[in-house]
Amino acid sequence: MTLGPLALSLGDPAGIGPEIVVKAWRALKDTGPAFFVVGDAAAIASAPTSAASLVRKISSPEDVRADFGGAIPVLDLPLKAPVVAGRPSPGAAGSIVQWIETAVGLALSRTVAGVVTAPIAKAPLYEAGFRFPGHTEFLGELTAATAYDGARGPIMMLTAADLRVTLVTVHEPLAKVAGKLSIEAVVNAGLVTAQALRRDFGIAQPRLAVAGLNPHAGESGAIGREEVEIVQPAIRALKNLGVDARGPYPSDTLFPQEVRATYDAALCLYHDQALIPVKMLDFWGGVNVTLGLPVVRTSPDHGTAFDIAGRGIARADSLIAAIRLADEIARRRA
């Protein structure tokens, strides 16, 4: 089966998205995987280290493979007004959302193999009325009406080197995390993770290590009851459903190299519990994967970096890794 190219939404054009797109294309133009950008062609052409001659406007994803190595293919959906690097504007929000919706729509129609999303900034989107905490939740909404044969996400996974982590809660203030946890939420995250490890990562018998919430995983209830009342019952339920889930483990002992060898993914309960070890292990090369959706979606594990946008110094390692991983997952699903 011949897969279509990947669709890469440009993200916030005032951030480093245009620059790292150019750098990713330079790194992959001879070897692939092939991708095209859904966004503003002029913003890419004006990025540091770019030029108008490096951008080729396309009318269809079918145009990509003809000359992927010759220029960056762009499905041009222009901004209503130019943006300045490093200066985010709510005026660009409509275009940013349109680019994501277009890329996801192409994936839902099987026109493209998957979606890679360059970083967005939430504050200017919120100013323009965007009502989702982030990309992950928005993708869940966009794909909610499409049939999917398995446990449903969206569940966020981060990968770096030999570590995979998934999250039960994502963009929640720390003070609200405990109140957002439930047996059902932990079980669903575990089921989605186990399914994705089999389907998307080729692991026949996935092993999950489940983190505790409190110091020392609660010390049998002496330092918090969440492990006793939520996490342990969820682990028992996962085992009853055929998932090799173990824990809860104190998160401060869950991530050394020797421990990582004992599981295929760590199921974490809140944002920083998962992201700190990933970024400590491989700050530049981590990848964000959305699990439990009918489309393949990855993204770099970093933000828009407005402070360095337009200076030509942004690294594209994470975006390159995200493109490669999206291609690998799409091929396993094909």
Side-chain angles (χ1 to χ4, degrees), residues 262-309:
T262 67
Y263 58 82
D264 299 299
L267 183 58
C268 297
L269 304 183
Y270 60 95
H271 187 276
D272 286 8
Q273 186 182 56
L275 271 70
I276 288 173
V278 166
K279 294 190 176 184
M280 287 292 291
L281 187 63
D282 187 359
F283 183 79
W284 298 110
V287 178
N288 181 347
V289 190
T290 306
L291 309 181
L293 296 183
V295 300
V296 175
R297 182 264 177 156
T298 66
S299 74
D301 182 25
H302 60 69
T304 50
F306 292 123
D307 57 324
I308 62 168

Side-chain angles (χ1 to χ4, degrees), residues 18-150:
E19 177 181 345
I20 61 175
V21 162
V22 174
K23 292 180 177 179
W25 173 79
R26 289 184 187 276
L28 299 172
K29 64 185 179 68
D30 295 324
T31 62
F35 66 87
F36 66 95
V37 184
V38 182
D40 184 280
I44 300 169
S46 61
T49 74
S50 185
S53 61
L54 290 182
V55 175
R56 176 171 64 97
K57 296 181 183 180
I58 61 172
S59 58
S60 166
E62 296 177 358
D63 301 335
V64 173
R65 296 190 185 279
D67 188 28
F68 177 67
I72 305 167
V74 181
L75 186 62
D76 187 31
L77 300 176
L79 291 159
K80 294 181 180 179
V83 299
V84 177
R87 299 181 185 177
S89 169
S95 293
I96 294 168
V97 171
Q98 180 191 23
W99 300 337
I100 299 168
E101 290 174 336
T102 300
V104 172
L106 290 169
L108 287 172
S109 68
R110 308 300 179 193
T111 306
V112 301
V115 175
V116 182
T117 58
I120 59 175
K122 298 173 184 63
L125 290 176
Y126 293 161
E127 287 185 47
F130 188 71
R131 61 184 179 85
F132 299 92
H135 256 132
T136 300
E137 297 84 357
F138 186 37
L139 288 162
E141 176 75 12
L142 292 176
T143 59
T146 303
Y148 183 65
D149 58 344

Side-chain angles (χ1 to χ4, degrees), residues 215-242:
H216 303 186
E219 288 274 17
S220 300
I223 316 177
R225 298 288 301 173
E226 286 82 6
E227 286 79 9
V228 174
E229 297 174 0
I230 297 173
V231 184
Q232 290 175 359
I235 292 171
R236 290 195 294 269
L238 285 167
K239 288 179 177 178
N240 290 336
L241 292 167

Side-chain angles (χ1 to χ4, degrees), residues 167-247:
L167 288 80
V168 177
T169 68
V170 184
H171 299 112
E172 297 292 344
L174 191 56
K176 295 183 179 180
V177 167
K180 295 288 184 178
L181 294 176
S182 66
I183 296 172
E184 293 77 13
V186 176
V187 169
N188 185 66
L191 287 173
V192 172
T193 301
Q195 171 186 276
L197 290 171
R198 288 190 294 267
R199 180 180 186 180
D200 297 339
F201 292 87
I203 300 170
Q205 296 180 314
R207 303 161 298 169
L208 301 187
V210 184
L213 177 68
N214 298 296
H216 303 186
E219 288 274 17
S220 300
I223 316 177
R225 298 288 301 173
E226 286 82 6
E227 286 79 9
V228 174
E229 297 174 0
I230 297 173
V231 184
Q232 290 175 359
I235 292 171
R236 290 195 294 269
L238 285 167
K239 288 179 177 178
N240 290 336
L241 292 167
V243 177
D244 183 357
R246 309 168 190 176

